[in-house]
Amino acid sequence: MKSLFFLILILILGFKFYSIEFLATILVISFLIFFHELGHFLAAKSLGVKVEIFSIGFGKSLLEFNFKNTIYRLSTLPLGGYVKLKGQDDMRPGFENLDPDSYSILHPLKKIYILLAGPFFNLFLAFILYIVIGNLGIQKLSAQIGTIAPNSAAQIAGMKPDDIILSINGIKIQSFDEISKHLNLQPLNIVVDRNGEKINFNLTPKIGQGYNDFGQLVSKAQLGVSPKGTDILVFHTGLQSLNYALDESIKASTLIIKGIIKLITGEVEAKNLGGIITMANITSKAAQTSFTILLLITALISINLGILNLLPIPMLDGGHILFNIYEIIFRRKVSQKTFEYLSYGGMAILLSLMLFATFNDILRALQ
C-alpha cells in the first residue's frame, strides 16, 4: 500500500512539474534498468543458474506472470529493479543455497561473469544508441566564426568573422565544438572558407582561461573566436557511425570516471551531485527538445549506470566482484560476519548518497 502511494505521489509531482514529458523519465529509467538486469539474467541462464524473479521496479507487484519457473514482475516503484538468483539474496548477505542450479556453488570467475554482464549491457546499449544518434544526425553549432577577440591568435593571423573553419592540421572540422580538441600551443595550419574561397592560415594559439567539462576555470590554448550561432545537422553513417559510437562511449565513460575521482578528492564540490529529480529534469527537457537529444541523454545515463555499478561498494556489482576477487586471491571467502557488516555498510552508503543527491536536487529547485 505504501509503495502504491509513493508511485501515485511520484506521478502527480512529475506531471505537475514536467507535464506529459515526465513519462520520458519513467520510460528511460525503466528501459535502462531492464537492459541492465537483462545482462545479469542472460549470463545466469547461460550458466544454468535459476532466476527466481526478474523485476522492473521495487515494492508491491503491479503485474506479474510465471514463465519457465521465473516470475516476471512489474513493481510499483519504477526507480530501480533487480534479478533474484537462486542462492543470492542481498537482503540476507550470508544466505547460501547448495543446489546444482544455485548461484552459491559457482566458481568466483563465473560469478564475476554474471556480475559484469549488467554493467556491460548498459555500456553496450549506449554504444548502440550512439550508432542510432549518428545516423539520425546531431544538431550542433557550425564552425562559422561570429566574433574575434582583439589581439587574439585568430585576429593577428588575419581571420575574419563569417569565416568557416574547414580543417585544422588536415583534420576535417564539422562543428564548432570540435575546434578546441585540436588546439595546442604548437603552430597550426587552419583552412577556412571565406565566401567560397579556401584560405590557409599558419598560427600558434595563445594561452587563455576557459571552463572544462566540470565547470572549473582552467588554462587552455585558444584561437580567440566565438561561434556565429548557425545550426547544422552532423551525420555519422555507415562504418563512420561505429567509430563515432566508440569515441563517444569512451569519452563519456572517461568523463564519468574523472568526475567520480574529482568528487572523491574534493576538486568538484559534492553539491554538484544530482539525483532522481535532476534526472527527471534533464530527460523531460530532452523529450521536449527532440528525440535525438532524448536518445543522447539516455546513452549518457546508461553509461553512468554501468560505470557506477562497477564501483567497489558492497551491494553494487563492483562490491560483489571485489569479494569474488578476494576469494580467488586468498582461496577463501570473506567471513560471513565481515560480508554482512560490509553489505549493510554498503547499503547505508548508497542510501546516504541517494538522500544527499535528492537534497541537492531540492536545493537547486528552490533557487
Side-chain angles (χ1 to χ4, degrees), residues 227-279:
K228 177 80 171 181
T230 310
D231 288 334
I232 57 168
L233 205 57
V234 181
F235 290 95
H236 300 274
T237 57
L239 291 177
Q240 189 187 19
S241 68
L242 299 179
N243 290 329
Y244 168 75
L246 182 60
D247 288 343
E248 291 298 310
S249 297
I250 293 173
K251 185 169 68 176
S253 300
T254 304
L255 191 65
I256 291 166
I257 293 169
K258 285 181 179 179
I260 293 170
I261 294 172
K262 286 180 180 290
L263 275 172
I264 293 172
T265 59
E267 285 188 59
V268 173
E269 294 184 64
K271 69 179 182 181
N272 293 314
L273 192 66
I276 186 61
I277 297 176
T278 295
M279 190 185 300

Side-chain angles (χ1 to χ4, degrees), residues 50-337:
K50 180 181 179 182
V51 180
E52 297 179 339
I53 301 173
F54 190 130
S55 177
I56 301 300
F58 292 112
K60 186 179 179 180
S61 173
L62 288 175
L63 177 68
E64 67 178 42
F65 63 92
N66 193 312
F67 180 71
K68 292 187 177 181
N69 295 320
T70 297
I71 296 173
Y72 297 88
R73 178 181 294 169
L74 179 64
S75 300
T76 49
L77 293 177
L79 308 179
Y82 62 93
V83 165
K84 187 178 183 302
L85 306 181
K86 186 174 184 179
Q88 184 193 39
D89 190 342
D90 284 341
M91 303 311 294
R92 294 186 293 164
F95 172 75
E96 285 192 337
N97 183 302
L98 301 181
D99 290 346
D101 59 350
S102 172
Y103 175 85
S104 303
I105 67 167
L106 294 179
H107 185 277
L109 283 175
K110 292 184 177 180
K111 290 181 180 178
I112 290 174
Y113 161 67
I114 293 175
L115 293 165
L116 281 174
F120 171 78
F121 262 53
N122 280 126
L123 298 177
F124 179 68
L125 173 62
F127 179 77
I128 297 299
L129 289 175
Y130 279 127
I131 291 176
V132 175
I133 291 166
N135 281 276
L136 290 175
I138 310 102
Q139 189 167 312
K140 293 189 174 185
L141 289 174
S142 73
Q144 187 172 25
I145 298 172
T147 59
I148 299 177
N151 201 36
S152 63
Q155 186 193 53
I156 294 170
M159 297 174 74
K160 295 181 179 180
D162 293 331
D163 284 352
I164 300 172
I165 297 178
L166 300 177
S167 67
I168 298 178
N169 282 349
I171 301 172
K172 185 179 178 182
I173 300 298
Q174 297 189 71
S175 59
F176 195 86
D177 67 328
E178 293 179 7
I179 295 171
S180 61
K181 302 174 188 176
H182 305 288
L183 301 184
N184 51 54
L185 298 179
Q186 302 298 320
L188 302 176
N189 175 257
I190 298 179
V191 179
V192 306
D193 180 325
R194 180 178 294 170
N195 298 321
E197 181 187 358
K198 289 185 179 180
I199 303 175
N200 276 273
F201 293 98
N202 293 301
L203 57 85
T204 301
K206 292 186 175 183
I207 196 74
Q209 294 292 306
Y211 291 94
N212 63 13
D213 293 318
F214 304 98
Q216 297 171 303
L217 196 62
V218 295
S219 297
K220 54 170 59 177
Q222 295 180 337
L223 291 180
V225 298
S226 62
K228 177 80 171 181
T230 310
D231 288 334
I232 57 168
L233 205 57
V234 181
F235 290 95
H236 300 274
T237 57
L239 291 177
Q240 189 187 19
S241 68
L242 299 179
N243 290 329
Y244 168 75
L246 182 60
D247 288 343
E248 291 298 310
S249 297
I250 293 173
K251 185 169 68 176
S253 300
T254 304
L255 191 65
I256 291 166
I257 293 169
K258 285 181 179 179
I260 293 170
I261 294 172
K262 286 180 180 290
L263 275 172
I264 293 172
T265 59
E267 285 188 59
V268 173
E269 294 184 64
K271 69 179 182 181
N272 293 314
L273 192 66
I276 186 61
I277 297 176
T278 295
M279 190 185 300
N281 188 39
I282 292 171
T283 51
S284 297
K285 287 181 178 177
Q288 292 174 348
T289 305
S290 74
F291 180 63
T292 304
I293 296 298
L294 180 61
L295 289 182
L296 184 61
I297 296 299
T298 303
L300 290 172
I301 296 174
S302 189
I303 289 178
N304 205 309
L305 183 61
I307 298 290
L308 291 180
N309 262 282
L310 290 174
L311 291 178
I313 299 175
M315 299 300 289
L316 292 180
D317 295 326
H320 287 293
I321 289 171
L322 195 62
F323 288 138
N324 283 287
I325 291 174
Y326 175 91
E327 185 177 344
I328 291 171
I329 294 173
F330 296 100
R331 301 195 176 186
R332 67 174 184 273
K333 293 183 178 181
V334 175
S335 71
Q336 183 172 328
K337 186 169 288 188

Side-chain angles (χ1 to χ4, degrees), residues 16-45:
K16 175 178 174 58
F17 289 103
Y18 303 112
S19 187
I20 192 67
E21 285 80 14
F22 180 68
L23 282 176
T25 300
I26 301 296
L27 291 173
V28 165
I29 293 174
S30 299
F31 179 60
L32 294 181
I33 290 165
F34 166 76
F35 218 78
H36 178 93
E37 299 303 334
L38 180 64
H40 293 312
F41 173 85
L42 293 176
K45 284 287 191 181

Side-chain angles (χ1 to χ4, degrees), residues 1-11 57-62 74-79:
M1 192 67 183
K2 287 181 180 179
S3 56
L4 185 59
F5 169 77
F6 279 120
L7 174 62
I8 294 171
L9 181 62
I10 288 169
L11 291 174
F58 292 112
K60 186 179 179 180
S61 173
L62 288 175
L74 179 64
S75 300
T76 49
L77 293 177
L79 308 179

Side-chain angles (χ1 to χ4, degrees), residues 93 314 323 326 334-345:
F323 288 138
Y326 175 91
V334 175
S335 71
Q336 183 172 328
K337 186 169 288 188
T338 301
F339 183 72
E340 290 180 358
Y341 284 152
L342 289 175
S343 294
Y344 291 132

